[in-house]
Amino acid sequence: MTEKFDFNDILIKPATNSEISSRKNINPYHNGFLPLITAPMDTVVNLDNKDLFTSLKINLCLPRGEEFLCGFVSYSLDEILNMYLNDKLDPKGYYLIDIANGHMEILVTAVRNIKIKYPKLTLMVGNIANPNTYVLLSEAGADYVRVGIGNGGGCSTTVHTGIGFPMASLIKECYDLSCTLDKPAKIVADGGMQNYSDIIKALALGADYVMVGSLFNKAIESCGDNYLWGKIKVSQKIAEFAYKNKIPVYKKFRGMSTKEVQKKWGKQVLTTSEGVVRVRKVEYTLAQWVENFEAYLRSAMSYTDSPNLQKFIGGVETIQITNNAYNRFKK
């Protein structure tokens, strides 16, 4: 059995010689947007704050029930199949089949049938935690595949079931397999990003995009319920005023498989939760976080002689390190 690794186990190795003399010459965008996608979580993004995300060049993926003709919209597998059978899918739409277990044969079959009927429809599916499943979904016609199970701040699948795959190894193995495919799906690393470097390492290992939930939730503009001092619920307007005046503000954060969310979706029979509900302190504005992220990404690309994402993603060298090495720079 080959030992797998995660983000704390690796570093990105600088190029021997970088021809980049200024970070201003670097292009950290895919088609004008950063390689980031909002996690479809109802404590992160909704119709009220979606324009802020897009203005900051972040790709949208809206939670179930948030309908809008911009970015990806999320549906359960049953909902997508019903729309497919009743000819209600937009032939040029962007859809996420939001499913916890993306390894099911019924999903592979659904992707294949949908893409045959709607070849110009853009389809994101997942989540998966097996590199071979990434291949199956790519060959079925998926345009994007979300990889990662149990790593997210709102997900407790791995801790309860033992199912999972270390995210860094999962991204790397999916990327290596993607290089052997005629039409590989875009790799979307989803869950468990604890800081800027985790996201940048995910891209270096081969993720085309990184889906972010927890880190965006800690921005004052996220759509989680607001609490002063973690106790008194207030409106978004009051929360923003309080934060500006240095009064501690806290946000609700919850996984999308929690019983709270199941009730919101109108489920009559609630299943055992594989998610968590927390209240967490607001740490920044979304603009501040994005400004920092772009600066750090440009810096990493400069070190690795990568003028664009096409060269950086999967094209730079990473090295595995010991825990002692990690503790040397951990601050």
Side-chain angles (χ1 to χ4, degrees):
M1 182 171 61
T2 304
E3 189 174 60
K4 307 300 181 182
F5 59 90
D6 221 320
F7 297 124
N8 290 350
D9 301 317
I10 64 168
L11 290 174
I12 302 168
K13 185 177 179 180
T16 301
N17 180 46
S18 177
E19 297 181 0
I20 297 172
S21 58
S22 172
R23 297 173 191 173
K24 294 179 181 179
N25 299 328
I26 291 170
N27 179 9
Y29 303 110
H30 285 312
N31 299 317
F33 279 74
L34 291 166
L36 303 172
I37 305 177
T38 59
M41 306 178 77
D42 66 358
T43 53
V44 172
V45 61
N46 62 11
L47 296 181
D48 294 330
N49 66 5
K50 62 175 177 57
D51 290 339
L52 176 62
F53 281 99
T54 55
S55 71
L56 293 170
K57 304 185 187 313
I58 298 169
N59 297 277
L60 282 180
C61 185
L62 295 170
R64 295 188 206 178
E66 302 283 347
E67 301 282 350
F68 190 72
L69 297 178
C70 180
F72 287 91
V73 289
S74 306
Y75 295 94
S76 69
L77 178 58
D78 287 343
E79 288 171 329
I80 283 285
L81 289 174
N82 182 63
M83 295 167 72
Y84 166 76
L85 293 172
N86 290 282
D87 296 321
K88 291 185 177 181
L89 292 173
D90 180 348
K92 295 184 179 180
Y94 285 72
Y95 295 94
L96 164 65
I97 302 180
D98 188 16
I99 184 170
N101 182 0
H103 311 87
M104 296 187 294
E105 178 60 30
I106 189 175
L107 175 63
V108 177
T109 301
V111 169
R112 184 179 296 111
N113 289 339
I114 290 169
K115 291 297 290 186
I116 289 173
K117 187 174 183 179
Y118 301 103
K120 294 185 179 181
L121 177 149
T122 302
L123 197 58
M124 185 190 302
V125 299
N127 285 42
I128 63 108
N130 185 322
N132 293 324
T133 310
Y134 165 78
V135 173
L136 289 177
L137 290 167
S138 291
E139 292 176 341
D143 300 287
Y144 297 71
V145 174
R146 293 197 301 179
V147 306
I149 288 178
N151 302 290
C155 182
S156 61
T157 297
T158 300
V159 72
H160 291 312
T161 69
I163 295 294
F165 201 114
M167 179 63 96
S169 278
L170 180 60
I171 294 167
K172 174 61 174 171
E173 292 186 29
C174 287
Y175 174 77
D176 289 344
L177 288 170
S178 76
C179 296
T180 69
L181 302 176
D182 291 333
K183 294 183 179 180
K186 299 292 186 184
I187 298 169
V188 180
D190 177 27
M193 305 299 156
Q194 298 180 5
N195 46 47
Y196 301 111
S197 69
D198 282 356
I199 298 174
I200 293 169
K201 288 176 184 178
L203 296 168
L205 289 164
D208 297 284
Y209 295 89
V210 177
M211 187 166 270
V212 178
S214 175
L215 292 173
F216 286 163
N217 170 261
K218 289 192 284 188
I220 185 62
E221 301 91 350
S222 70
C223 61
D225 290 340
N226 302 284
Y227 299 88
L228 297 185
W229 300 285
K231 299 177 182 179
I232 305 170
K233 188 175 180 179
V234 297
S235 68
Q236 181 67 25
K237 186 175 182 179
I238 292 175
E240 292 184 8
F241 175 82
Y243 179 73
K244 187 178 294 185
N245 287 277
K246 303 188 184 304
I247 298 172
V249 179
Y250 291 76
K251 288 276 187 179
K252 175 183 275 191
F253 178 66
R254 65 185 181 188
M256 296 303 282
S257 69
T258 56
K259 289 186 177 180
E260 278 190 9
V261 174
Q262 293 178 48
K263 290 178 182 178
K264 176 183 176 181
W265 288 342
K267 287 189 175 183
Q268 299 301 311
V269 179
L270 304 183
T271 59
T272 300
S273 172
E274 292 183 12
V276 299
V277 180
R278 295 192 177 103
V279 177
R280 307 182 314 158
K281 189 176 181 180
V282 169
E283 296 184 8
Y284 35 70
T285 68
L286 189 61
Q288 288 168 341
W289 187 92
V290 172
E291 180 181 8
N292 287 340
F293 169 73
E294 183 172 331
Y296 292 138
L297 177 58
R298 285 178 181 270
S299 181
M301 294 171 69
S302 172
Y303 277 111
T304 56
D305 194 30
S306 303
N308 53 53
L309 288 175
Q310 289 71 29
K311 185 171 181 180
F312 185 74
I313 290 172
V316 299
E317 186 178 353
T318 58
I319 52 175
Q320 287 189 245
I321 61 174
T322 65
N323 191 56
N324 283 338
Y326 173 71
N327 288 331
R328 282 283 183 178
F329 65 81
K330 180 184 178 184
K331 298 178 178 67

